[in-house]
Amino acid sequence: MEASAAVESSATVSAFEVSRRPDTAKLVLNSPGPLSLREELAAVVGKAFRPRASGGGRAPRCAWVLTALQCVFPVLQWGRSYNLKSFRSDIMAGLTLASLGIPQSIGYANLAKLDPQYGLYTSVVPPLIYAVMGTSREIAIGPVAVVSLLLSSMIQNIVDPAADPATYRSLVFTVTFLAGVFQVSFGLFRLGFLVDFLSHAAIVGFMAGAAIVIGLQQLKGLLGLSHFTNSTDIVSVIKAVCSALHDPWHPGNFFIGCSFLIFILATRFIGRRYKKLFWLSAIAPLISVILSTTVVYATRADKHGVKIIQKVHAGVNPSSVKQIQLNGPHTAECAKIAIVCAVIALTEAIAVGRSFASIRGYKLDGNKEMLAMGFSNVAGSQSSCYVATGSFSRTAVNFSAGARSTMSNIIMSITVFITLELFMKFLYYTPMAVLASIILSALPGLIDIKEACNIWKVDKMDFLTCLGAFVGVLFGSVEIGLAVAIAISFAKIIIHSLRPQVEILGRLQGTNIFCSIRQYPVACRTPTVLTIRIDTSFMCFINATFIKERIINWVREEVEASDGKGKERIQAVVLDMSSVVNTDTSGLTALEDIHKELVSLGIQMAIAGPGWNAVQKMKVSRVVDRVGEDWIFLTVGEAVEACLSAHKGTALEC
């Protein structure tokens, strides 16, 4: 009785499996059509801004408005739980941040070929806007070295800042405004993928090359040179230094710069070794400015060749709305510079924000960050600021000082504002060499030799991208370095797309798993059935011919080998298209050609697991009708079993 019951049960299961397989295969062809581009965009916007009520229905209009406001102004969300303890931490972090940000901002303004106050202006307005719109709790907003270099190196090709400083400033504000507009557009239209065109390897190489270029540019201040090249490539800078050394120069500049550079680096070493003394490295640049200014004033070293800042304009940010030229003769050039600055600034800000967000265990919203950075720069461009972004060195100090929210940016902004109002006259005797030393001290963090070595070990093509960006910036210009890095990255994508992997599959014994026989030699091929996997997400014009020729050549070789050795001839070819998400007309034509070739050889063709968009296009182009609806399957196992059954083979045996 029990034996007969077991046999009946086994027969029932087998019958169920057999009856289930056709239905499973039909799922591929009966699936609903994919969403259109308009529907996808509507879904993205709806998900971001349309809240749902707790019962799953549509939320009331007031809830929609509140959610929309919270999306644009995250301060409305975290501000409700903000307390006095967090405020105390943010006050200390903001003051510590200001002590580092004030001297750095002055130095970076000099790097951007602007007067010192413009760097301080950039540390007032953009941080305030970001504080109410940004999602990172630790990031410190303000001028940074790389963006300052970008602006000066690219805009000076249009206008000489020394010959026409007013027009130069006007172009800087125009570029800043346009960069902000681009960043807002990236956030609104979910175009964050544009930032990803700069790969990690490209950023490592670009930052390292830019750091060396920035360091070489500081030789002017460090040596107290009056005449220096505007070019940024290493050859031009070395020539300028060599020619300038023949002119009279005062060693006091070099002594002041080197002394305070050693002091700043020493305090940084102490801060890293003794974590509780992190504040020492944060205030070291400010101490350097105060001490060097005092020494120069007391000794009147400026009368003996030491270069000083001289007059710095005090007061709140003046309006620069009228200086923004959207209809001027250089608008097109400004737009090109703005798109580069926008992408670089966003790349640095998002990378910095995400690295510290992961430490604190929360997620950073990339699109909201783009909106926050964009509006910060749009507002900044109208208040005499240039392009601001997140600084890694200042963010690290902000994090170490215990910042709990973007309130620390507000505290820093207020501190810088007070400095602009009350203390600017004391900067008259600040030596240029100490500003150069402050910038030089921030550069080692931009050169990541360890990561470059790791890129070499992991991916040689990625290292080529890194090296291309580095060499391009160092021996050409910033824009050449970026262009080389992007070109190599696209070449890498094209090469991989041109020759995707096409693998012969075998079955792991005792399972229904099919995998590459090259990667897994233990996998055994199924007699009379050739199973091939196409490893590309987009079977298109660029790779369709390669895929078709590879498959047809393999089939012919198999047929010739079986005819020559008297082996059992292959009866079917199964194409595993589970990796093929989409295709175009070239890909569909290639499938038709493969089918025609197989038909001429008397071989059945089956397709397993095509992607959603791919199968819909196969239906519309009637490829499914030519192959036959009965030969489209959900899995490779079903396809192979059907082929064996049709030709009276043994099911799934090695």
Side-chain angles (χ1 to χ4, degrees):
M1 292 288 290
E2 293 180 359
S4 62
V7 170
E8 287 181 15
S9 176
S10 176
T12 303
V13 172
S14 298
F16 174 73
E17 288 177 351
V18 171
S19 64
R20 184 180 61 181
R21 284 173 192 134
D23 294 336
T24 307
K26 293 295 183 183
L27 286 175
V28 179
L29 298 176
N30 295 334
S31 60
L35 296 175
S36 65
L37 179 61
R38 181 182 62 81
E39 291 171 332
E40 287 184 356
L41 290 174
V44 169
V45 174
K47 184 178 179 181
F49 294 105
R50 187 181 299 127
R52 292 289 178 183
S54 57
R58 184 181 293 275
R61 186 177 297 274
C62 59
W64 188 94
V65 173
L66 179 61
T67 301
L69 287 174
Q70 287 178 347
C71 285
V72 179
F73 303 104
V75 66
L76 298 176
Q77 193 167 5
W78 61 260
R80 291 180 294 180
S81 58
Y82 195 69
N83 53 41
L84 184 60
K85 183 179 179 181
S86 298
F87 183 60
R88 289 173 182 168
S89 299
D90 285 335
I91 287 179
M92 292 304 300
L95 293 175
T96 307
L97 191 59
S99 67
L100 175 63
I102 290 171
Q104 277 194 352
S105 298
I106 295 172
Y108 293 152
N110 184 48
L111 181 61
K113 292 183 169 52
L114 294 168
D115 293 333
Q117 66 269 17
Y118 291 101
L120 295 174
Y121 294 158
T122 309
S123 292
V124 174
V125 175
L128 289 176
I129 303 299
Y130 182 87
V132 297
M133 298 187 69
T135 58
S136 174
R137 303 168 194 166
E138 298 83 19
I139 197 168
I141 302 299
V144 296
V146 173
V147 175
S148 300
L149 174 68
L150 272 173
L151 283 171
S152 62
S153 62
M154 298 176 78
I155 296 179
Q156 70 182 8
N157 294 330
I158 304 173
V159 175
D160 187 354
D164 192 355
T167 304
Y168 179 81
R169 284 195 301 270
S170 176
L171 295 183
V172 169
F173 299 145
T174 304
V175 168
T176 303
F177 177 81
L178 293 174
V181 170
F182 284 131
Q183 290 171 337
V184 171
S185 302
F186 295 163
L188 285 176
F189 297 105
R190 301 297 193 266
L191 299 177
F193 65 89
L194 293 175
V195 177
D196 296 330
F197 280 129
L198 280 177
S199 65
H200 173 67
I203 293 170
V204 170
F206 173 77
M207 290 295 186
I212 294 176
V213 168
I214 292 169
L216 292 172
Q217 288 288 321
Q218 300 317 300
L219 291 175
K220 178 182 179 182
L222 201 63
L223 299 175
L225 303 177
S226 300
H227 304 287
F228 204 69
T229 180
N230 286 330
S231 302
T232 58
D233 64 284
I234 188 171
V235 176
S236 299
V237 172
I238 291 175
K239 286 182 179 179
V241 171
C242 292
S243 61
L245 290 177
H246 298 292
D247 300 330
W249 63 285
H250 194 274
N253 293 287
F254 185 73
F255 176 76
I256 292 172
C258 288
S259 299
F260 285 102
L261 176 60
I262 293 170
F263 169 69
I264 294 171
L265 294 177
T267 56
R268 183 173 300 167
F269 174 78
I270 295 171
R272 288 178 178 174
R273 187 158 187 177
Y274 305 100
K275 299 298 182 183
K276 292 184 178 180
L277 297 177
F278 74 90
W279 54 269
L280 189 61
S281 61
I283 66 171
L286 184 60
I287 293 174
S288 300
V289 169
I290 295 172
L291 288 178
S292 61
T293 303
T294 304
V295 169
V296 171
Y297 176 74
T299 60
R300 298 313 304 263
D302 58 305
K303 300 293 185 182
H304 303 285
V306 173
K307 301 289 184 181
I308 59 174
I309 292 179
Q310 296 183 352
K311 188 176 181 181
V312 181
H313 294 282
V316 70
N317 300 33
S319 173
S320 55
V321 174
K322 294 182 179 179
Q323 297 184 57
I324 298 175
Q325 301 177 0
L326 298 180
N327 296 318
H330 305 298
T331 304
E333 291 94 331
C334 287
K336 295 175 185 177
I337 299 171
I339 190 71
V340 174
C341 290
V343 172
I344 293 295
L346 283 177
T347 302
E348 185 170 358
I350 293 175
V352 170
R354 283 178 177 167
S355 62
F356 285 95
S358 63
I359 297 174
R360 287 278 174 89
Y362 68 93
K363 185 180 178 181
L364 199 70
D365 191 321
N367 288 307
K368 290 181 182 178
E369 286 297 288
M370 293 178 190
L371 285 174
M373 295 301 305
F375 280 115
S376 296
N377 283 316
V378 168
S381 67
Q382 300 175 51
S383 53
S384 300
C385 305
Y386 69 94
V387 181
T389 187
S391 164
F392 186 85
S393 60
R394 294 197 295 276
T395 302
V397 167
N398 199 31
F399 175 81
S400 300
R404 292 290 177 267
S405 70
T406 52
M407 181 61 71
S408 60
N409 274 282
I410 297 176
I411 302 299
M412 179 200 70
S413 179
I414 293 172
T415 307
V416 175
F417 174 76
I418 293 172
T419 302
L420 279 166
E421 286 288 346
L422 303 178
F423 301 112
M424 293 304 290
K425 59 184 178 182
F426 297 112
L427 295 176
Y428 184 92
Y429 290 100
T430 301
M432 299 294 292
V434 80
L435 299 180
S437 68
I438 291 171
I439 294 175
L440 287 170
S441 68
L443 299 182
L446 299 177
I447 303 175
D448 197 342
I449 298 175
K450 183 179 179 181
E451 184 59 24
C453 294
N454 185 55
I455 292 171
W456 166 260
K457 292 177 184 176
V458 174
D459 191 329
K460 301 297 187 291
M461 194 69 179
D462 251 8
F463 182 78
L464 184 61
T465 303
C466 177
L467 187 63
F470 176 76
V471 173
V473 171
L474 205 58
F475 292 94
S477 64
V478 173
E479 51 266 43
I480 289 176
L482 287 173
V484 170
I486 293 174
I488 295 175
S489 298
F490 272 102
K492 179 182 176 182
I493 295 171
I494 292 171
I495 289 171
H496 283 295
S497 299
L498 276 171
R499 299 180 64 86
Q501 286 190 339
V502 182
E503 298 283 350
I504 295 178
L505 305 184
R507 184 176 66 88
L508 293 179
Q509 194 167 9
T511 70
N512 202 23
I513 300 172
F514 288 79
C515 52
S516 169
I517 60 174
R518 289 198 305 166
Q519 186 176 359
Y520 302 97
V522 295
C524 53
R525 292 176 55 180
T526 305
T528 72
V529 178
L530 180 62
T531 308
I532 300 174
R533 182 176 66 211
I534 302 172
D535 278 331
T536 180
S537 61
F538 189 28
M539 186 174 174
C540 60
F541 66 94
I542 202 170
N543 55 32
T545 302
F546 171 79
I547 293 170
K548 177 185 71 175
E549 291 177 352
R550 175 65 64 89
I551 293 173
I552 291 175
N553 288 338
W554 272 344
V555 172
R556 287 174 178 170
E557 289 172 5
E558 290 288 329
V559 171
E560 291 173 1
S562 61
D563 292 343
K565 297 180 180 179
K567 292 183 178 180
E568 192 173 5
R569 197 171 187 269
I570 63 169
Q571 302 294 329
V573 172
V574 175
L575 297 183
D576 178 7
M577 294 180 62
S578 56
S579 298
V580 182
V581 178
N582 204 347
T583 185
D584 65 359
T585 53
S586 297
L588 295 170
T589 302
L591 289 176
E592 290 180 355
D593 292 342
I594 294 170
H595 179 253
K596 289 177 184 177
E597 179 70 22
L598 295 179
V599 169
S600 68
L601 295 172
I603 298 172
Q604 178 63 54
M605 175 176 166
I607 297 175
W612 198 2
N613 286 289
V615 75
Q616 295 298 323
K617 291 181 180 180
M618 287 166 60
K619 288 164 64 177
V620 172
S621 63
R622 305 183 69 83
V623 171
V624 170
D625 294 338
R626 294 184 182 90
V627 175
E629 291 186 2
D630 293 336
W631 295 102
I632 309 295
F633 299 91
L634 185 62
T635 66
V636 176
E638 289 176 345
V640 172
E641 186 174 352
C643 292
L644 290 170
S645 299
H647 297 93
K648 300 179 181 180
T650 54
L652 294 178
E653 290 183 359
C654 292

